[in-house]
Amino acid sequence: MELSEAGLPKAQVEAMTKRETDRYLQSNPISQKLGQEARRNWIKGVPHHWMLDWSTPFPLFVADAKGATLTDADGHTYDDFCLGDTGSMFGHSPEPVAKAIAAQSSHGLTYMLPTEDIIAVGSLLENMFGLPFWQVTTTATDSNRFVIRWCRAITKRTKVLVFHGAYHGAVDDTFVRMKNGRAIHRPGLIGQVYDLTTHTKVVEFNDVPALEAALKDQDVACVITEPALTNIGMVLPQPGFLDALQSLCKKTGTLLVIDETHTISTGFGGYTRTHHLKPDFLTLGKPVAGGLPTAVFGCTADIAERMRAAEKEAGPGYSGMGTTLSANALQFKAMRANLEHVMTPAAYAHMLPLSEKLARGIEGEIKKRNIPWHVSNVGARAEFVCAPERPRNGTEAQAAMHGPVELAVHLYLLNRGLLIAPFHNMTLVSPVTTEAQVARLVTTIGQCLDELAA
Ligand SMILES: Cc1ncc(COP(=O)(O)O)c(C=O)c1O
């Protein structure tokens, strides 16, 4: 029997993909029709190309979403473990956020002036993350881009360092990968006209000697990283790695930027608070305003002082940072409601044990069938990986990705009312996800594996 790379019979994987694709085609006539009509005005039939990254032959059109349940245009309902790939990690349209948005909607949406809410939100952010100074942007991409600019201005160094396999949004400086120990452009980049490797270094996550070598010349303005990589499958930090990262940054005068956009799943205050990290900057987007496009970045008092000095030195003019809609009144209403009532310690008290249950449940189904896969989780975020060993770095994580198998599993789940993130095999548990939803996902993954491994 020919095994696919992920330890399963290739024929079963192909048969499942074909059968589930047919089933999807038959079950979703309205989505199919809308998809065809959308081709008239939208490039490739969608308003944003990521909507084509799902396992389905045409996009699933959404009619409604509430809590951890989504309803499609054909009337099927789904247990949603994708949750907008983290934007709706605390549930779709949480009641306090929905009410706040509705209340603000007839009082002006954006003025380029502050409202009273900024006082409350500033102290909520400080309380959550322990950093005193903040700015608001519209996406995590913007926060990361602006923070890199600040780091360069503060340190007067040009280079940034990222880990192989990292993703920090559509930030040019981070679009590198490592090949044969050297930085290269990330494959597939469009319209890239200048050489990103001139100013960006890349090393493997969990590789302390490589990091030390890359920082020793003291030409790196900042290391930007997630505390656990979550965009190339999941790569957890090995014991001591984040301590080494922090002390190497300190020793070499390199600033440390922790991107908590996904690892906010770890617990209240993200990985940073849970594991007592001390970044110079922290960035967070996606769920911070309950799914309304909003992001923040925070910094220490010392960094704020150095920002002031850098700005003085630059003199009058335009900083290169700013977008008109950032920090608007609607964002603040949503963020305040979200931070006060939704993204709370009580929410995590529900999410974390339930996600643990999900992770261990999936792990149990895998083990029962002796399939050479494993499960990793970072709080409310869990991921099954189609390889036996936990990857230690981006290269190993990439090798653990098995597109054809993942496609079959994703489609099988979707056709049975279960959505997981289209990128690799990520699941999120929200404060309103139920035990029954988790049990359904675990059981259905077991049934899927039964068929695949038969
Ligand atoms: C860790 C991390 N940072 C930043 C971003 C960018 O977020 P956005 O696309 O909302 O700008 C992402 C997106 O997936 C992410 O995973």
Side-chain angles (χ1 to χ4, degrees), residues 84-233:
D85 188 18
T86 314
S88 302
M89 184 172 149
F90 293 85
H92 293 289
S93 295
E95 204 67 40
V97 176
K99 276 193 179 146
I101 291 174
Q104 183 63 31
S105 64
S106 49
H107 297 283
L109 305 177
T110 187
Y111 328 124
M112 225 181 72
L113 284 169
T115 57
E116 206 180 302
D117 291 320
I118 74 160
I119 310 299
V121 171
S123 79
L124 284 161
L125 288 169
E126 179 173 17
N127 176 42
M128 195 170 196
F129 296 104
L131 292 169
F133 292 109
W134 294 87
Q135 286 283 276
V136 171
T137 64
T138 304
T139 65
T141 294
D142 286 342
S143 282
N144 287 331
R145 214 167 28 212
F146 298 164
V147 161
I148 287 173
R149 196 174 264 274
W150 274 120
C151 289
R152 285 175 163 149
I154 289 169
T155 60
K156 300 194 174 66
R157 299 176 181 181
T158 62
K159 296 187 194 292
V160 302
L161 184 142
V162 296
F163 292 105
H164 176 61
Y167 182 70
H168 297 286
V171 180
D172 287 357
D173 294 283
T174 64
F175 285 146
V176 297
R177 287 284 192 248
M178 210 172 87
K179 192 169 180 191
N180 303 326
R182 292 171 58 91
I184 57 162
H185 280 189
R186 199 177 158 155
L189 279 188
I190 288 180
Q192 188 61 49
V193 294
Y194 57 90
D195 184 1
L196 297 171
T197 64
T198 311
H199 297 298
T200 304
K201 296 188 183 187
V202 59
V203 299
E204 291 280 19
F205 199 67
N206 281 323
D207 186 344
V208 177
L211 182 63
E212 191 165 11
L215 298 185
K216 82 172 181 337
D217 290 343
Q218 306 198 354
D219 56 355
V220 176
C222 67
V223 173
I224 178 166
T225 188
E226 295 183 275
L229 302 186
T230 67
N231 283 293
I232 185 146

